Amino acid sequence: MQSTPDLSRLLNELETLASFSDAPAPAVTRVVFSAQDLAARAYLHRLFSEAALELRTDAVGNTFARWVGGDSSLAPVATGSHTDAVPHAGRYDGTIGVLGGLEAIRALQRGGFRPRRSIELLVFTSEEPTRFGIGCLGSRLISGALSPEGARRLKDRDGKSLEEILRQAGFDKSLEDVRLADKFYHGFVELHIEQGPLLERKGIPVGIVTAIAAPATLRVRIEGSGGHAGAVLMPERRDAFVAAAEIALAVESAAKATRSADSVATTGVCNVFPGAVNSIPSRAVLEIDVRDIDLARRDAMLSAIRAACGATAAKRQVAVEIELINADAPAQASPLITQTLSASCRALGIEFMPMVSRAYHDSLFLSRIAPTGMIFIPCRNGVSHRPDEYASPADINRGVQVLASALAQLAQ
Ligand code: GLV
Ligand code: MN
Ligand code: MN
């Protein structure tokens, strides 16, 4: 099957997409349902329509762009990723899987391929947890990992409910209809940058993902006692921020204590109230991200962090409330997809290696309803979630070629 990507067109589209941003270039900030996110969606819908794809959007804003196959009785094959970006990010995370997926489809179209199964390109809503505190919002709802009632309880940092934000953004369908049936797709393949250094270090251009690590998120609210920074004596203080700092150190220790490189824990958010230099912090809210390939070890880290919260509460006389936002199981890639991807790499003469994904992806949830796998391409110095995130044109090209080949095999 002749399917040569139009690399310069794809690079131009990546550049245009990066311009929908609330941060000046090269940084990209595109929070879900912000004005920039909505403008980026409109741009993508135009590209999908130009490629003669049938468009559908569900109640949470997941977009489905379908190349209709010859036999509509067969389950479609799917690819895709996300286009929201964490604050001060780069241009490749997620977008490679969306625009690369589109280019894979266009390359197959140009090559004269006629799919028997439909090929569907998905753009998932809010893979990043920035706005609602939980990642993979769209794919969680698609897979049933998050219920419509659970989604209705979500609020953003300003206290606005997801439903209200959806309504304002023009999505007025029922959240009950987002869930897709098990085996809805014959297979799902996501193309993504590795977001780590292994491919680059080994000089191997493609990674075939075998498993995705198990992520968990905690929100910890600490209530102490505020007051005048000059007048309240040190023995009388119940400083919520200092308690939070102690907990953050315990988070780091919990990961280091396992002595496994696969254990990671991060305190990525610390909000302090009232936030004045001469006022003792009365309240602090932490958001903590904990991951491991090994579910039992991940859960042991969560227990250690809970114990540390209890110890800090007692020692510092503060109230500590722990909310578990999510604790997901790891995902295994399907042999159908990993074998298809290996065969594609061999046919194209592209060296590859199996690898684990330490980052999470919408594939974590798609794997619950469809045979799923991922293609990783290298990113410079393993950098991601930063403005200097970079994937080379040659690597992007190879990733799209492998994706196109795999979609063609799966859709035949
Ligand atoms: C996705 O962006 C992740 O945090 O793994
Ligand atoms: Mn990301
Ligand atoms: Mn991503």
Side-chain angles (χ1 to χ4, degrees):
M1 169 53 43
Q2 177 69 24
S3 57
T4 310
D6 183 342
L7 188 59
S8 64
R9 177 177 184 178
L10 172 55
L11 295 176
N12 278 332
E13 288 169 350
L14 281 164
E15 186 166 348
T16 303
L17 186 53
S19 71
F20 297 101
S21 168
D22 279 315
V28 178
T29 297
R30 196 163 45 241
V31 176
V32 67
F33 301 132
S34 62
Q36 294 293 349
D37 176 55
L38 295 175
R41 285 164 183 261
Y43 168 65
L44 290 170
H45 289 195
R46 202 166 63 242
L47 295 182
F48 298 161
S49 297
E50 281 165 14
L53 305 181
E54 271 186 19
L55 278 187
R56 172 173 90 84
T57 307
D58 71 13
V60 77
N62 291 314
T63 297
F64 305 76
R66 181 175 288 209
W67 182 12
V68 177
D71 187 345
S72 56
S73 71
L74 298 175
V77 171
T79 187
S81 195
H82 64 100
T83 56
D84 62 325
V86 296
H88 215 61
R91 70 165 61 159
Y92 300 94
D93 175 5
T95 56
I96 285 288
V98 172
L99 289 171
L102 174 62
E103 185 48 36
I105 288 175
R106 289 187 305 218
L108 290 170
Q109 290 173 336
R110 284 193 301 273
F113 179 68
R114 295 258 179 281
R116 198 156 73 90
R117 296 177 187 273
S118 295
I119 299 181
E120 190 143 272
L121 175 61
L122 278 74
V123 190
F124 297 100
T125 286
S126 199
E127 190 264 357
E128 303 291 6
T130 313
R131 185 153 190 182
F132 296 103
I134 189 163
C136 299
L137 178 57
S139 51
R140 272 180 203 276
L141 278 162
I142 284 179
S143 68
L146 176 68
S147 65
E149 305 81 66
R152 280 191 199 98
R153 284 194 292 273
L154 292 175
K155 290 193 165 65
D156 73 358
R157 294 233 161 88
D158 300 326
K160 253 188 174 179
S161 75
L162 170 65
E163 274 194 313
E164 187 185 344
I165 291 163
L166 283 169
R167 233 185 347 266
Q168 280 172 1
F171 300 102
D172 54 6
K173 296 182 189 150
S174 164
L175 285 171
E176 266 67 21
D177 298 334
V178 174
R179 172 86 161 98
L180 295 180
D182 290 347
K183 309 210 169 61
F184 185 85
Y185 292 116
H186 174 62
F188 176 77
V189 191
E190 180 172 2
L191 171 64
H192 206 283
I193 55 170
E194 180 200 340
Q195 303 183 287
L198 299 183
L199 290 172
E200 186 182 60
R201 278 189 198 155
K202 289 183 191 290
I204 294 180
V206 164
I208 296 181
V209 171
T210 53
I212 303 176
T217 313
L218 296 170
R219 186 175 292 132
V220 178
R221 292 188 178 83
I222 300 143
E223 198 76 47
S225 178
H228 196 287
V232 180
L233 300 180
M234 295 313 282
E236 264 124 69
R237 294 200 179 194
R238 292 165 52 228
D239 183 323
F241 168 69
V242 180
E246 200 166 272
I247 292 170
L249 289 172
V251 167
E252 184 190 48
S253 301
K256 286 188 167 168
T258 74
R259 300 190 175 282
S260 165
D262 293 330
S263 304
V264 287
T266 308
T267 304
V269 172
C270 176
N271 291 320
V272 176
F273 182 84
V277 68
N278 56 349
S279 219
I280 299 164
S282 61
R283 196 159 69 225
V285 180
L286 300 178
E287 287 179 12
I288 299 167
D289 179 303
V290 184
R291 312 186 193 201
D292 206 306
I293 301 303
D294 182 295
L295 187 59
R297 209 165 46 202
R298 196 279 313 274
D299 287 344
M301 283 193 279
L302 289 176
S303 300
I305 293 167
R306 283 179 187 279
C309 287
T312 293
K315 182 172 130 196
R316 295 189 170 270
Q317 295 295 295
V318 293
V320 179
E321 183 195 304
I322 304 168
E323 184 187 354
L324 181 66
I325 306 290
N326 64 291
D328 304 302
Q332 303 299 321
S334 148
L336 169 72
I337 306 299
T338 54
Q339 283 160 18
T340 304
L341 292 173
S342 316
S344 297
C345 287
R346 282 194 199 97
L348 291 160
I350 294 173
E351 201 185 351
F352 64 94
M353 65 181 232
M355 63 193 307
V356 158
S357 172
R358 288 155 203 283
Y360 59 69
H361 302 282
D362 294 300
S363 288
L364 183 67
F365 295 100
L366 264 286
S367 70
R368 300 186 183 195
I369 61 159
T372 293
M374 296 187 72
I375 306 163
F376 273 179
I377 58 169
C379 53
R380 189 175 57 200
N381 298 326
V383 162
S384 184
H385 285 187
R386 275 176 27 184
D388 54 340
E389 182 179 83
Y390 176 78
S392 76
D395 285 325
I396 294 171
N397 195 50
R398 275 187 285 263
V400 174
Q401 281 183 308
V402 174
L403 177 61
S405 160
L407 292 175
Q409 287 179 66
L410 291 166
Q412 253 156 19

